[in-house]
Amino acid sequence: MTKFNENRIALIKRKTNETNIEVKVNLDGDGKNFIDTGLPFFDHMLEQLSKHSLIDIQLKCIGDLQIDAHHTMEDIGWALGKAINDALGNKRGIKRYSFNYLPMDECLTRCCIDVSGRPWLIWNVFLPGITIKKIETEIFREFFQSLSQAAGFTLHVENLYGTNTHHILESCFKSLAISLREAIKIDPQNSNNIPSTKGTLFGSN
Ligand SMILES: [Mn+2]
């Protein structure tokens, strides 16, 4: 078993007038999760993210769902991203880059990731359904946007083809999960080094 310099675990608590979130992650888990966002379809997506990234995620959110799902999903992206970033620490030894093509029945999605400290999102995902289980599907972009910002991921998510909204969304989460699983893994060949010629993966410069 790989020995890590530190436990790659983080806890984030965040309370505003719109959402109250507590999220705990363990990057070296086995995909155990307890997720309660108040949005069962979104829970299903985050469970996929945990299961296939092998990041243990405990997440509880009480959000202003009487308005809509926007604040809840955006703020969860932020809190989860911040937790992952905190757990990564100085990113020593991680593989950093990864990509993955994820087929799901009729659809195919590609997610490419650089755990760079430089937040950027490309989201080329056309969703045929306007809502899914009362969630406006456009809000899923907001989740990926706030996640990539808070986690410091350069993240490119593209659905190449597909017709079923549930499949397209689920393939985005699974493709992210599998890319993330690789990118945050400690590379035994390079475990003492930060994978950057700059010597740091903290920021944009
Ligand atoms: Mn499903």
Side-chain angles (χ1 to χ4, degrees):
M1 190 176 148
T2 311
K3 288 275 259 177
F4 300 114
N5 296 333
E6 63 219 59
N7 286 332
R8 299 199 302 170
I9 291 170
L11 171 68
I12 295 290
K13 295 181 183 182
R14 183 179 194 266
K15 190 175 188 307
T16 69
N17 291 335
E18 296 171 342
T19 58
N20 185 356
I21 300 172
E22 189 167 323
V23 57
K24 186 176 180 190
V25 300
N26 176 7
L27 304 187
D28 302 303
D30 58 5
K32 281 190 290 297
N33 58 73
F34 175 81
I35 289 160
D36 181 7
T37 68
L39 296 163
F41 181 79
F42 190 41
D43 291 351
H44 177 47
M45 295 297 108
L46 294 176
E47 285 160 10
Q48 302 292 347
L49 181 59
S50 170
K51 183 77 184 169
H52 296 288
S53 67
L54 303 182
I55 299 174
D56 293 346
I57 301 176
Q58 288 175 47
L59 190 155
K60 171 80 178 166
C61 175
I62 299 167
D64 56 0
L65 296 175
Q66 74 282 6
I67 295 175
D68 65 10
H70 196 118
H71 301 141
T72 294
M73 291 174 61
E74 187 176 38
D75 291 2
I76 286 172
W78 190 92
L80 181 60
K82 181 79 170 64
I84 293 171
N85 194 36
D86 284 4
L88 280 165
N90 65 8
K91 306 189 181 108
R92 185 180 302 277
I94 65 166
K95 291 188 172 179
R96 180 179 167 181
Y97 294 100
S98 187
F99 75 96
N100 164 266
Y101 283 84
L102 196 294
M104 187 163 178
D105 293 357
E106 88 296 347
C107 87
L108 185 69
T109 294
R110 176 177 62 209
C111 175
C112 304
I113 192 166
D114 176 8
V115 180
S116 58
R118 294 199 306 276
W120 198 278
L121 176 69
I122 299 291
W123 177 255
N124 287 338
V125 180
F126 173 74
L127 294 161
I130 292 165
T131 62
I132 188 159
K133 288 284 181 187
K134 297 184 182 163
I135 303 172
E136 289 81 3
T137 52
E138 67 186 18
I139 304 174
F140 284 91
R141 186 191 182 284
E142 303 311 309
F143 167 77
F144 279 81
Q145 172 70 12
S146 56
L147 179 83
S148 63
Q149 290 292 312
F153 295 159
T154 303
L155 188 62
H156 294 221
V157 184
E158 296 182 274
N159 175 246
L160 304 182
Y161 45 81
T163 55
N164 180 287
T165 301
H166 185 129
H167 291 161
I168 293 171
L169 284 167
E170 189 164 335
S171 68
C172 291
F173 280 84
K174 284 179 166 171
S175 189
L176 168 63
I178 292 166
S179 292
L180 195 51
R181 174 179 168 176
E182 273 308 301
I184 65 173
K185 216 180 241 177
I186 302 294
D187 181 349
Q189 193 182 346
N190 200 32
S191 60
N192 284 322
N193 297 315
I194 291 167
S196 166
T197 53
K198 224 175 283 166
T200 176
L201 286 173
F202 273 121
S204 56
N205 303 310

